[in-house]
Each structure stands twice: as structure tokens, then as C-alpha cells.
Amino acid sequence: MATTTTTSLGGAGADDRVMATAQQIVKSLNTSKNVREDMLLILSSFDNRLSNITDLISDESSFPQSRLDAAEQVILNRYDSSLPWDDAPDQAEEYMTAVDEILDLLDDLSIRSDNDVIDRAESAVQVAMSKLEDEFRHILIRSTIPLDAERLYGSIRRRVSLSFVSNVDGIDDEQLSNLEDVIVDSSESQRCYHERGPSLSGVDLSVDLISGEAVESLKGIAERMIRSRYEKECVQVYCNVRRDALDECLAILGVEKLSIEEVQKIDWRSLDEKMKKWIQAIKICVRVLLTGEKGLCDQIFSGSDSAKEICFNETAKGCIMQLLNFGAAVSIARRSSEKLFRILDMYDALADVLLDLEEMVSDQFVISEARDVLAGLGEAAKGTFVEFENAVKGETSKKPMLNGEIHPLTRYVMNYVKLLVDYSGTLNSLLEDDENDSNDLQNDDVENTTPIARRLLALLSTLESNLEEKSRLYEDGALQYIFLMNNILYLEQKVKDSELINLVGDQWVRKRRGQVRQYATAYLRAAWSKALSCLKDEGIGGSSSNNASKVALKDRFKNFNACFEDIYRIQTGWKVPYPQLREELRISISEKVLPAYRAFLGRFGSQLESGRHSGKYIKYTADDLENFLLDLFEGTPLVLHHLRRKNS
């Protein structure tokens, strides 16, 4: 009994294997239905286990029809529905299943000749793809997350560094384009500022461009459209929608679509604002938006490398070219000194993101354009720096500064130069092997120096020569030296108290200190020689103080008093802003004048003090003079109204 059962089971298993083989034959034969039936009937005559083969043929022929009917009905019913998929997830899932069913059916029927079924299936796919294309577009648009610029800026905001934007009383930005217009009255409070945007380097930034749930839906649609050979349509929809979305992001970041001609016509103040926005936008665009867009393309089109590449390149191209067009327009705009720092900021920003751009974008036209714009900004920076050098060299204003104060040109140039240190790395690379590099400096000034250091040394030398020329505008020789002391000390202080010292060196500073000492000596000679000549013994007459001519003595004291009062009236109005220099000058004057006055008064004062009206001649004691000297160089003209007189 057990043996019979085993034989029966074994026979049943063999029958199943035979039937499975027959089913495989049915599916694999690439012939007409009639031919397949004839061949399988012949096979059944060799094995009675295939007696049911005709039933198998009948079932096989009707199965695709039933599969198609069910899937086709779902697709056609859904075609006219306006209900968004994300509001009916169950229906969306049913629709996608129906699409999969038809695509699977087409794969099964691909080697057969049931043309009616295939035509119906392909028509259903066409209808489905039209619907999926619309849904793909709808989900892309509806699920796009607007860029929150305030939150983004808040997350990257850092302390900004001082750089160059004019903030000089009485000077507007247009005037600064020509240094000759800088020559106006100025004050110590004048400064130059420039906001450098924060770098995104090392900052982990990410934004959601499309909601996560939508990405999964989009990915599912893309997979089916690509499988159905509708990749081109899917890619086109994606590029159109996302290109507009990125354009909107640029608008939110403050970047306008401007032609080169429009950029050329913008006034500097407005252009400066647009340049600042561009600098931030290029960083955010590459490091945040395009990085996010690249990830989005990789997710949605994970099944097609070609679709990923095309979608990203075409989507990114629009916003990149908009930014590059503005950069190109700036690079060929009229060059003026105030633009240099903003151009350098643009150059640094583009250079900073170029490698990231090259890694993401495979469109060589876009990359080539980016490299060309970077080179153009570099040339614009060099040309603008040369423009500044020439402006300093050619500034020939003929209006001397009141009271010998620091010249606006000196302030402007030194603040400008001081801020160049922040860009020394960039400028060194741009100026390397530049034919404008100065050869006019002494060997000990340029040995082992960088390109920017050589150019700055030459520029400072040009400025000093210009100041020498301007000092000659003063008729008073003593005031010439006050002017030179003030300005050269300003140069020395600006260099010593900033990173400039690392470029121009300690030796440069020591030389300027020596110059200030030389000018101080020359000042003493020019300002006080006449007064001191009144305190000499020569020409008074007699061989001793007792025999001196009273008339000559009276003239000497009167002349000294007149000289001193004139100097006091004039030089109290002169301005020496540095307290230490002011004190040193007063001490030098005291050491030169007071001993001579005391000695002269000691030798000859007694001859006049015994006479009538001696107070007319001996007005001051040495202590009086010392106190009056404390009023010099304060910038407020004073007159000695209350003179101390001695009665005879």
C-alpha cells in the first residue's frame, strides 16, 4: 500500500514537471497561435500526460486579455480625474500598479504576434504617460519649497571685516572715481569701510528644495516614464519647472536679470549693492542650491545616468549663466578705483566655488564660461589697481590743506592700501610676473618681497613724492615741514599698526621715522631762526653787556617779541594731530629758544629794566614763553592779548 502511494506521488510530480515544461514552451514559441496549437498537439501524441494541452493553449491566449482589461480600465478612468495624487494616495498607488501591469504585459508580449493586444497596451501606455507627465509637473510645482533667504543668511552670518566703501565727509562715491576730487577739507574721523561677505567654506548648509514625500512620488513616475521610453518628456518637464524655480531663488537673493548694456549704465552706488548681492548669491547658488539640485536629480532619476546628467546640467545652466553674465559685465565695465575691492570679492567668490562647479556640471560650455569670467574679473582687478596707481601718481590738486593737516589723499590712499592686505594672496597670484611690477625701487626695498609688496612700496613712494610736491604749495617754509611731518607720520602709523608692516617691512618704518626727525629739525630752523637771531650778541655794540647800545637792545627785544607773537598767532592755528609729535616739537622748541632767551635776558635785561617803560621791551619771562609754547599746534589760532608788562 505504501509502495503504491509513493508511485502515485512520484507520477504526480513527473506530470507537473511535464506540464511546466509545456507551459514554458507555450510562452517561448514566437509563432502564430495556429502554428503553436499544431506543434503542441503533435507533442501530445507522444505523451498522454499532455492530453490537456489544448486547455493550456486556451488559458494562455486569454490571460493577457484579462490583464489588459483590468489595467486599461484603471488608466482610462483616472485620465479625466482632476484630483491631485497627493490628495488621493490610494488611487495614485492603484494607477501606478496598473501602469506596471501593462508594462509587464508588454514585456511578456514583446516576442509574440498578438498585435491587437499589443496595440491596445501601447495605447494605454500612451494615455498613462500623458497623465504621468501632468502629475509629474504638478507635483514638482506644488511641492517646491520657497527659499527662505532670511533664515539662510542668518545661518551664515559672520562678523564682517572692514574694507573699502567711501564714508568721507563731503565726498560722494562718484567723486571717489577721480582722486583729484578727493581734495576737500577732511577730518580725523574720516574712514573707509567695506563689507566683505561671510565665507561659506566649512559651513554645513542644506535646504529642502522639494518635500521628501514628493521626491518619492516623482521618483516613481520618472522610473515608469523612463521604462516606457518617455524619458525625454520627463526630463523636459523637470528642466522647465526646476529652471524656473532656481530663477525664482536668484530673485529672492536679489539677483536681477540684466544685460551687459544695462549693467554698464548703473550708477556706482547701485552697482555696488548689486555686486554685494552677487557675491552672496554665487556662493549660495553653488554651495546650497546647486548642491541640493544635484542630490535631487540623483534621487529622482536614480535609474538613468543620462537623465540625471541632462536634468542637472540643463536646470543649473540658466541660473549659472545669469550670474556669469553679470560677472562678465562687471569685468568689462569702466574701471575706477572704488570698484577694486568689490571686484576682488567677486573674483574670490567665483574662484572659491569653481572647483565645486566643475565637479557637479559636466557641460563644458558652462565651465568654460565660468573660467573665462574668472579670468576677466582677474584682469579687471589688475587694471583697476593700475588705475588707482596712476590716479595717485597723477593727482595734482593745487589747494593746500589748511593748517598743514593730513591731506585727504593721504588718508584715502593709506586706508585703501591698508585694506589691500586682506587680498594679498589673491593679488600676489594676479600680479605675479606682471609687467607693471615696479623696477624703480632700490634693491634692498624689493629683495625677497612678494609682487603685492613691491607694488605697494612703489605706490607709497609715489604718494610721498606727491606729498613733497604738495608741501611746496605753502608759502611758509615752516608749515611745509609741519605738513610733511603730519603726513609721513600718518603713513608710518598706518603701516606700523596694521598687517601692512608684514609687507613693507620694519626698515621702511624706520626710514620714515628718520624723515620725521629731519623734518622737525628743518622746521625749527625755518620757524625760529629769525627769532633766535634777535638773541645773538652780534650787532648790539660795545665789548661787554654793560656797554651794549640800549637802542640796539630795545630793537632786539622788540623784534624778538614781535617774532614770538607772530609765531604764536600763526602756529597756534597749525594742527599737529599726534600728541607725541606735538609734545616733542614743543620740547625741541623749548630746548632751542628758552636757553637762548634766558641767556640774552640775563646778559642785557638789567640795562633796560632800570629805564622807563621797560615793560614795552621785556614783556615775557622765560617761564611765560614756556607756557605760551604749550598752545602751539592745537589748530586754534590765538593772540597774546594780555601781555605782562613791567613798569620802569
Side-chain angles (χ1 to χ4, degrees):
M1 189 69 176
T3 303
T4 303
T5 303
T6 302
T7 303
S8 176
L9 290 172
D15 290 347
D16 291 341
R17 288 194 295 273
V18 170
M19 290 302 294
T21 302
Q23 289 176 335
Q24 185 63 35
I25 292 172
V26 169
K27 292 182 178 180
S28 63
L29 289 174
N30 187 20
T31 58
S32 67
K33 180 178 179 182
N34 292 333
V35 172
R36 292 200 306 274
E37 290 177 352
D38 291 341
M39 293 180 66
L40 290 171
L41 287 173
I42 293 172
L43 287 173
S44 67
S45 66
F46 292 97
D47 193 328
N48 60 8
R49 286 173 296 183
L50 297 178
S51 58
N52 294 327
I53 195 70
T54 54
D55 295 336
L56 179 64
I57 294 172
S58 177
D59 292 342
E60 181 272 332
S61 62
S62 63
F63 180 64
Q65 182 75 38
S66 62
R67 291 171 64 190
L68 176 60
D69 289 344
E72 186 180 47
Q73 183 178 0
V74 172
I75 289 172
L76 294 177
N77 288 344
R78 179 68 180 170
Y79 182 73
D80 293 326
S81 174
S82 60
L83 187 65
W85 280 30
D86 42 7
D87 291 341
D90 293 339
Q91 294 183 30
E93 183 177 357
E94 181 186 19
Y95 194 90
M96 298 294 269
T97 301
V99 172
D100 290 340
E101 182 70 13
I102 292 181
L103 293 176
D104 290 342
L105 179 61
L106 282 173
D107 289 341
D108 292 341
L109 297 174
S110 62
I111 59 174
R112 304 179 191 171
S113 58
D114 293 336
N115 292 329
D116 291 342
V117 176
I118 291 176
D119 288 345
R120 280 184 58 199
E122 289 179 344
S123 295
V125 168
Q126 187 174 359
V127 171
M129 291 305 109
S130 177
K131 181 64 176 177
L132 288 182
E133 182 179 333
D134 289 342
E135 291 296 337
F136 193 77
R137 180 184 296 105
H138 166 77
I139 295 172
L140 273 175
I141 294 173
R142 182 167 175 172
S143 302
T144 295
I145 300 175
L147 184 68
D148 187 348
E150 287 301 317
R151 184 194 67 80
L152 187 61
Y153 283 137
S155 65
I156 65 175
R157 192 166 291 124
R158 297 289 183 271
R159 182 189 299 176
V160 295
S161 60
L162 292 180
S163 189
F164 188 86
V165 164
S166 67
N167 186 27
V168 182
D169 297 337
I171 307 176
D172 61 32
D173 291 320
E174 291 184 4
Q175 287 176 318
L176 287 177
S177 64
N178 184 342
L179 288 186
E180 291 189 10
D181 295 325
V182 178
I183 314 309
V184 295
D185 291 344
S186 66
S187 68
E188 180 60 30
S189 63
Q190 294 170 357
R191 293 292 185 270
C192 300
Y193 297 105
H194 168 74
E195 263 184 29
R196 294 196 71 182
S199 170
L200 302 189
S201 299
V203 180
D204 182 20
L205 289 174
S206 61
V207 295
D208 291 326
L209 304 178
I210 291 179
S211 63
E213 292 181 358
V215 171
E216 289 302 313
S217 298
L218 292 168
K219 179 180 179 181
I221 294 175
E223 287 174 347
R224 288 159 177 84
M225 292 187 73
I226 292 171
R227 182 181 175 187
S228 305
R229 297 181 179 84
Y230 280 77
E231 178 177 320
K232 180 179 178 181
E233 290 77 3
C234 185
V235 166
Q236 185 173 359
V237 170
Y238 183 90
C239 292
N240 289 341
V241 174
R242 292 305 304 160
R243 189 186 299 120
D244 290 344
L246 289 182
D247 287 346
E248 181 64 24
C249 287
L250 285 187
I252 292 172
L253 293 174
V255 178
E256 306 171 49
K257 285 187 176 180
L258 298 169
S259 67
I260 291 178
E261 292 75 17
E262 289 173 324
V263 173
Q264 304 290 330
K265 296 177 182 178
I266 299 173
D267 65 274
W268 164 237
R269 192 180 296 276
S270 299
L271 180 61
D272 182 57
E273 286 301 314
K274 295 183 188 304
M275 292 168 79
K276 285 194 290 186
K277 290 178 180 177
W278 185 95
I279 291 160
Q280 289 304 314
I282 193 73
K283 298 173 187 176
I284 293 172
C285 181
V286 175
R287 293 271 168 77
V288 180
L289 299 179
L290 295 189
T291 298
E293 193 67 39
K294 183 71 164 60
L296 203 58
C297 289
D298 290 346
Q299 285 181 277
I300 294 174
F301 299 99
S302 59
S304 173
D305 290 340
S306 62
K308 283 191 289 189
E309 182 177 7
I310 293 171
C311 280
F312 178 72
N313 283 335
E314 290 302 313
T315 301
K317 185 176 182 178
C319 67
I320 295 173
M321 291 306 300
Q322 182 179 337
L323 290 167
L324 293 179
N325 287 339
F326 181 84
V330 168
S331 70
I332 61 175
R334 183 180 67 86
R335 292 171 181 172
S336 54
S337 303
E338 77 278 7
K339 295 179 182 178
L340 177 58
F341 296 97
R342 201 63 76 196
I343 292 173
L344 285 169
D345 283 338
M346 290 180 66
Y347 178 91
D348 283 344
L350 181 54
D352 189 42
V353 300
L354 184 57
L355 182 59
D356 292 332
L357 199 62
E358 291 173 339
E359 291 177 349
M360 285 190 289
V361 178
S362 60
D363 188 332
Q364 289 307 303
F365 171 77
V366 173
I367 298 303
S368 177
E369 287 292 302
R371 291 169 180 164
D372 288 345
V373 170
L374 182 65
L377 289 171
E379 288 299 317
K382 288 198 295 184
T384 304
F385 185 58
V386 171
E387 184 77 16
F388 179 69
E389 291 174 316
N390 292 336
V392 175
K393 187 175 183 179
E395 198 287 299
T396 56
S397 62
K398 300 299 182 183
K399 181 181 178 181
M401 283 301 298
L402 184 67
N403 303 332
E405 292 191 61
I406 299 166
H407 202 281
L409 176 65
T410 308
R411 297 182 187 278
Y412 185 95
V413 172
M414 289 310 297
N415 281 291
Y416 197 102
V417 169
K418 180 180 175 181
L419 298 169
L420 282 173
V421 177
D422 287 343
Y423 302 89
S424 56
T426 300
L427 287 169
N428 278 328
S429 64
L430 292 175
L431 298 174
E432 190 172 9
D433 301 324
D434 192 87
E435 60 185 24
N436 287 313
D437 206 349
S438 176
N439 294 317
D440 299 332
L441 298 173
Q442 298 178 1
N443 290 334
D444 59 348
D445 288 327
V446 300
E447 186 178 0
N448 298 323
T449 57
T450 60
I452 184 60
R454 291 192 292 273
R455 294 290 280 271
L456 291 184
L457 284 166
L459 182 63
L460 293 175
S461 179
T462 298
L463 175 60
E464 289 178 281
S465 297
N466 198 317
L467 292 173
E468 286 275 359
E469 290 295 323
K470 293 188 185 306
S471 72
R472 298 187 182 97
L473 297 174
Y474 296 100
E475 295 182 1
D476 191 322
L479 186 54
Q480 292 182 15
Y481 296 115
I482 292 294
F483 172 79
L484 288 171
M485 277 189 283
N486 283 336
N487 283 269
I488 298 303
L489 185 56
Y490 185 87
L491 303 188
E492 184 256 322
Q493 291 289 322
K494 280 290 184 180
V495 169
K496 186 187 69 172
D497 297 337
S498 72
E499 294 299 319
L500 274 170
I501 187 67
N502 297 324
L503 293 179
V504 304
D506 292 328
Q507 184 179 2
W508 187 93
V509 172
R510 287 193 294 271
K511 285 183 178 180
R512 271 67 213 170
R513 288 175 182 168
Q515 282 182 290
V516 172
R517 287 193 294 271
Q518 292 173 6
Y519 291 140
T521 300
Y523 156 79
L524 287 173
R525 185 168 53 250
W528 294 94
S529 292
K530 183 178 179 182
L532 289 172
S533 66
C534 298
L535 304 178
K536 293 181 179 179
D537 293 354
E538 293 83 355
I540 295 178
S543 57
S544 67
S545 59
N546 293 327
N547 297 323
S549 167
K550 287 189 177 181
V551 174
L553 284 176
K554 290 178 180 180
D555 286 340
R556 289 296 182 88
F557 276 106
K558 285 176 60 178
N559 289 338
F560 175 82
N561 293 336
C563 284
F564 185 86
E565 290 164 7
D566 196 40
I567 290 172
Y568 182 87
R569 176 181 57 81
I570 293 173
Q571 296 193 23
T572 50
W574 292 357
K575 180 71 173 178
V576 176
Y578 292 101
Q580 184 176 346
L581 176 60
R582 191 164 60 241
E583 183 63 22
E584 288 175 355
L585 285 173
R586 291 167 179 167
I587 291 173
S588 297
I589 296 169
S590 297
E591 291 176 346
K592 195 81 171 177
V593 175
L594 296 183
Y597 185 76
R598 284 193 180 97
F600 191 81
L601 186 60
R603 289 195 300 273
F604 304 108
S606 59
Q607 296 189 41
L608 297 181
E609 287 177 345
S610 59
R612 297 179 60 190
H613 308 300
S614 62
K616 293 175 56 178
Y617 310 107
I618 305 177
K619 291 182 177 182
Y620 314 110
T621 66
D623 290 339
D624 292 332
L625 298 183
E626 186 172 17
N627 289 329
F628 290 140
L629 290 178
L630 297 177
D631 296 331
L632 300 184
F633 314 125
E634 293 289 349
T636 303
L638 299 174
V639 178
L640 294 175
H641 291 297
H642 305 291
L643 304 182
R644 188 178 74 83
R645 284 180 169 77
K646 293 185 177 182
N647 295 324
S648 56

mmCIF file with all atom_site columns, all heavy atoms in Angstrom, residues 376-388:
data_model
loop_
_atom_site.group_PDB
_atom_site.id
_atom_site.type_symbol
_atom_site.label_atom_id
_atom_site.label_alt_id
_atom_site.label_comp_id
_atom_site.label_asym_id
_atom_site.label_entity_id
_atom_site.label_seq_id
_atom_site.pdbx_PDB_ins_code
_atom_site.Cartn_x
_atom_site.Cartn_y
_atom_site.Cartn_z
_atom_site.occupancy
_atom_site.B_iso_or_equiv
_atom_site.pdbx_formal_charge
_atom_site.auth_seq_id
_atom_site.auth_comp_id
_atom_site.auth_asym_id
_atom_site.auth_atom_id
_atom_site.pdbx_PDB_model_num
ATOM 1  N N   . GLY A 1 376 ? 38.412 87.169  -16.530 1.00 0.00 ? 376 GLY A N   1
ATOM 2  C CA  . GLY A 1 376 ? 38.045 88.558  -16.802 1.00 0.00 ? 376 GLY A CA  1
ATOM 3  C C   . GLY A 1 376 ? 38.006 89.403  -15.548 1.00 0.00 ? 376 GLY A C   1
ATOM 4  O O   . GLY A 1 376 ? 38.455 90.557  -15.545 1.00 0.00 ? 376 GLY A O   1
ATOM 5  N N   . LEU A 1 377 ? 37.479 88.849  -14.463 1.00 0.00 ? 377 LEU A N   1
ATOM 6  C CA  . LEU A 1 377 ? 37.466 89.586  -13.193 1.00 0.00 ? 377 LEU A CA  1
ATOM 7  C C   . LEU A 1 377 ? 38.881 89.808  -12.685 1.00 0.00 ? 377 LEU A C   1
ATOM 8  O O   . LEU A 1 377 ? 39.183 90.860  -12.104 1.00 0.00 ? 377 LEU A O   1
ATOM 9  C CB  . LEU A 1 377 ? 36.643 88.816  -12.156 1.00 0.00 ? 377 LEU A CB  1
ATOM 10 C CG  . LEU A 1 377 ? 35.130 88.792  -12.372 1.00 0.00 ? 377 LEU A CG  1
ATOM 11 C CD1 . LEU A 1 377 ? 34.462 87.822  -11.407 1.00 0.00 ? 377 LEU A CD1 1
ATOM 12 C CD2 . LEU A 1 377 ? 34.526 90.185  -12.209 1.00 0.00 ? 377 LEU A CD2 1
ATOM 13 N N   . GLY A 1 378 ? 39.759 88.821  -12.902 1.00 0.00 ? 378 GLY A N   1
ATOM 14 C CA  . GLY A 1 378 ? 41.156 88.982  -12.509 1.00 0.00 ? 378 GLY A CA  1
ATOM 15 C C   . GLY A 1 378 ? 41.818 90.115  -13.276 1.00 0.00 ? 378 GLY A C   1
ATOM 16 O O   . GLY A 1 378 ? 42.542 90.941  -12.693 1.00 0.00 ? 378 GLY A O   1
ATOM 17 N N   . GLU A 1 379 ? 41.564 90.171  -14.583 1.00 0.00 ? 379 GLU A N   1
ATOM 18 C CA  . GLU A 1 379 ? 42.122 91.257  -15.396 1.00 0.00 ? 379 GLU A CA  1
ATOM 19 C C   . GLU A 1 379 ? 41.531 92.606  -14.981 1.00 0.00 ? 379 GLU A C   1
ATOM 20 O O   . GLU A 1 379 ? 42.233 93.616  -14.961 1.00 0.00 ? 379 GLU A O   1
ATOM 21 C CB  . GLU A 1 379 ? 41.839 90.998  -16.878 1.00 0.00 ? 379 GLU A CB  1
ATOM 22 C CG  . GLU A 1 379 ? 42.658 89.866  -17.480 1.00 0.00 ? 379 GLU A CG  1
ATOM 23 C CD  . GLU A 1 379 ? 44.156 90.136  -17.401 1.00 0.00 ? 379 GLU A CD  1
ATOM 24 O OE1 . GLU A 1 379 ? 44.565 91.286  -17.682 1.00 0.00 ? 379 GLU A OE1 1
ATOM 25 O OE2 . GLU A 1 379 ? 44.916 89.226  -17.050 1.00 0.00 ? 379 GLU A OE2 1
ATOM 26 N N   . ALA A 1 380 ? 40.241 92.603  -14.662 1.00 0.00 ? 380 ALA A N   1
ATOM 27 C CA  . ALA A 1 380 ? 39.604 93.849  -14.221 1.00 0.00 ? 380 ALA A CA  1
ATOM 28 C C   . ALA A 1 380 ? 40.213 94.332  -12.909 1.00 0.00 ? 380 ALA A C   1
ATOM 29 O O   . ALA A 1 380 ? 40.428 95.527  -12.712 1.00 0.00 ? 380 ALA A O   1
ATOM 30 C CB  . ALA A 1 380 ? 38.101 93.634  -14.059 1.00 0.00 ? 380 ALA A CB  1
ATOM 31 N N   . ALA A 1 381 ? 40.500 93.391  -12.001 1.00 0.00 ? 381 ALA A N   1
ATOM 32 C CA  . ALA A 1 381 ? 41.118 93.762  -10.720 1.00 0.00 ? 381 ALA A CA  1
ATOM 33 C C   . ALA A 1 381 ? 42.506 94.351  -10.955 1.00 0.00 ? 381 ALA A C   1
ATOM 34 O O   . ALA A 1 381 ? 42.858 95.386  -10.371 1.00 0.00 ? 381 ALA A O   1
ATOM 35 C CB  . ALA A 1 381 ? 41.200 92.537  -9.803  1.00 0.00 ? 381 ALA A CB  1
ATOM 36 N N   . LYS A 1 382 ? 43.295 93.701  -11.790 1.00 0.00 ? 382 LYS A N   1
ATOM 37 C CA  . LYS A 1 382 ? 44.633 94.229  -12.081 1.00 0.00 ? 382 LYS A CA  1
ATOM 38 C C   . LYS A 1 382 ? 44.548 95.606  -12.731 1.00 0.00 ? 382 LYS A C   1
ATOM 39 O O   . LYS A 1 382 ? 45.287 96.535  -12.370 1.00 0.00 ? 382 LYS A O   1
ATOM 40 C CB  . LYS A 1 382 ? 45.392 93.262  -13.001 1.00 0.00 ? 382 LYS A CB  1
ATOM 41 C CG  . LYS A 1 382 ? 45.838 91.990  -12.333 1.00 0.00 ? 382 LYS A CG  1
ATOM 42 C CD  . LYS A 1 382 ? 46.933 91.290  -13.138 1.00 0.00 ? 382 LYS A CD  1
ATOM 43 C CE  . LYS A 1 382 ? 46.435 90.815  -14.485 1.00 0.00 ? 382 LYS A CE  1
ATOM 44 N NZ  . LYS A 1 382 ? 47.487 90.067  -15.209 1.00 0.00 ? 382 LYS A NZ  1
ATOM 45 N N   . GLY A 1 383 ? 43.640 95.730  -13.704 1.00 0.00 ? 383 GLY A N   1
ATOM 46 C CA  . GLY A 1 383 ? 43.505 97.011  -14.388 1.00 0.00 ? 383 GLY A CA  1
ATOM 47 C C   . GLY A 1 383 ? 43.029 98.116  -13.472 1.00 0.00 ? 383 GLY A C   1
ATOM 48 O O   . GLY A 1 383 ? 43.467 99.266  -13.578 1.00 0.00 ? 383 GLY A O   1
ATOM 49 N N   . THR A 1 384 ? 42.139 97.770  -12.546 1.00 0.00 ? 384 THR A N   1
ATOM 50 C CA  . THR A 1 384 ? 41.643 98.764  -11.599 1.00 0.00 ? 384 THR A CA  1
ATOM 51 C C   . THR A 1 384 ? 42.735 99.178  -10.620 1.00 0.00 ? 384 THR A C   1
ATOM 52 O O   . THR A 1 384 ? 42.831 100.353 -10.235 1.00 0.00 ? 384 THR A O   1
ATOM 53 C CB  . THR A 1 384 ? 40.431 98.200  -10.836 1.00 0.00 ? 384 THR A CB  1
ATOM 54 O OG1 . THR A 1 384 ? 39.432 97.776  -11.776 1.00 0.00 ? 384 THR A OG1 1
ATOM 55 C CG2 . THR A 1 384 ? 39.831 99.243  -9.909  1.00 0.00 ? 384 THR A CG2 1
ATOM 56 N N   . PHE A 1 385 ? 43.582 98.230  -10.235 1.00 0.00 ? 385 PHE A N   1
ATOM 57 C CA  . PHE A 1 385 ? 44.700 98.561  -9.351  1.00 0.00 ? 385 PHE A CA  1
ATOM 58 C C   . PHE A 1 385 ? 45.673 99.506  -10.064 1.00 0.00 ? 385 PHE A C   1
ATOM 59 O O   . PHE A 1 385 ? 46.168 100.473 -9.474  1.00 0.00 ? 385 PHE A O   1
ATOM 60 C CB  . PHE A 1 385 ? 45.418 97.285  -8.921  1.00 0.00 ? 385 PHE A CB  1
ATOM 61 C CG  . PHE A 1 385 ? 46.503 97.511  -7.909  1.00 0.00 ? 385 PHE A CG  1
ATOM 62 C CD1 . PHE A 1 385 ? 46.225 98.112  -6.702  1.00 0.00 ? 385 PHE A CD1 1
ATOM 63 C CD2 . PHE A 1 385 ? 47.810 97.128  -8.172  1.00 0.00 ? 385 PHE A CD2 1
ATOM 64 C CE1 . PHE A 1 385 ? 47.221 98.334  -5.756  1.00 0.00 ? 385 PHE A CE1 1
ATOM 65 C CE2 . PHE A 1 385 ? 48.816 97.344  -7.242  1.00 0.00 ? 385 PHE A CE2 1
ATOM 66 C CZ  . PHE A 1 385 ? 48.517 97.943  -6.031  1.00 0.00 ? 385 PHE A CZ  1
ATOM 67 N N   . VAL A 1 386 ? 45.938 99.238  -11.329 1.00 0.00 ? 386 VAL A N   1
ATOM 68 C CA  . VAL A 1 386 ? 46.797 100.130 -12.122 1.00 0.00 ? 386 VAL A CA  1
ATOM 69 C C   . VAL A 1 386 ? 46.155 101.510 -12.227 1.00 0.00 ? 386 VAL A C   1
ATOM 70 O O   . VAL A 1 386 ? 46.837 102.537 -12.147 1.00 0.00 ? 386 VAL A O   1
ATOM 71 C CB  . VAL A 1 386 ? 47.037 99.537  -13.521 1.00 0.00 ? 386 VAL A CB  1
ATOM 72 C CG1 . VAL A 1 386 ? 47.740 100.545 -14.428 1.00 0.00 ? 386 VAL A CG1 1
ATOM 73 C CG2 . VAL A 1 386 ? 47.877 98.260  -13.426 1.00 0.00 ? 386 VAL A CG2 1
ATOM 74 N N   . GLU A 1 387 ? 44.832 101.526 -12.392 1.00 0.00 ? 387 GLU A N   1
ATOM 75 C CA  . GLU A 1 387 ? 44.110 102.797 -12.455 1.00 0.00 ? 387 GLU A CA  1
ATOM 76 C C   . GLU A 1 387 ? 44.316 103.593 -11.168 1.00 0.00 ? 387 GLU A C   1
ATOM 77 O O   . GLU A 1 387 ? 44.512 104.810 -11.192 1.00 0.00 ? 387 GLU A O   1
ATOM 78 C CB  . GLU A 1 387 ? 42.621 102.518 -12.676 1.00 0.00 ? 387 GLU A CB  1
ATOM 79 C CG  . GLU A 1 387 ? 41.767 103.755 -12.864 1.00 0.00 ? 387 GLU A CG  1
ATOM 80 C CD  . GLU A 1 387 ? 41.898 104.359 -14.249 1.00 0.00 ? 387 GLU A CD  1
ATOM 81 O OE1 . GLU A 1 387 ? 42.400 103.690 -15.168 1.00 0.00 ? 387 GLU A OE1 1
ATOM 82 O OE2 . GLU A 1 387 ? 41.507 105.530 -14.392 1.00 0.00 ? 387 GLU A OE2 1
ATOM 83 N N   . PHE A 1 388 ? 44.277 102.899 -10.040 1.00 0.00 ? 388 PHE A N   1
ATOM 84 C CA  . PHE A 1 388 ? 44.488 103.562 -8.757  1.00 0.00 ? 388 PHE A CA  1
ATOM 85 C C   . PHE A 1 388 ? 45.918 104.092 -8.651  1.00 0.00 ? 388 PHE A C   1
ATOM 86 O O   . PHE A 1 388 ? 46.144 105.223 -8.202  1.00 0.00 ? 388 PHE A O   1
ATOM 87 C CB  . PHE A 1 388 ? 44.200 102.584 -7.622  1.00 0.00 ? 388 PHE A CB  1
ATOM 88 C CG  . PHE A 1 388 ? 44.419 103.161 -6.259  1.00 0.00 ? 388 PHE A CG  1
ATOM 89 C CD1 . PHE A 1 388 ? 43.589 104.144 -5.763  1.00 0.00 ? 388 PHE A CD1 1
ATOM 90 C CD2 . PHE A 1 388 ? 45.474 102.720 -5.465  1.00 0.00 ? 388 PHE A CD2 1
ATOM 91 C CE1 . PHE A 1 388 ? 43.790 104.683 -4.504  1.00 0.00 ? 388 PHE A CE1 1
ATOM 92 C CE2 . PHE A 1 388 ? 45.681 103.254 -4.208  1.00 0.00 ? 388 PHE A CE2 1
ATOM 93 C CZ  . PHE A 1 388 ? 44.827 104.235 -3.723  1.00 0.00 ? 388 PHE A CZ  1
#
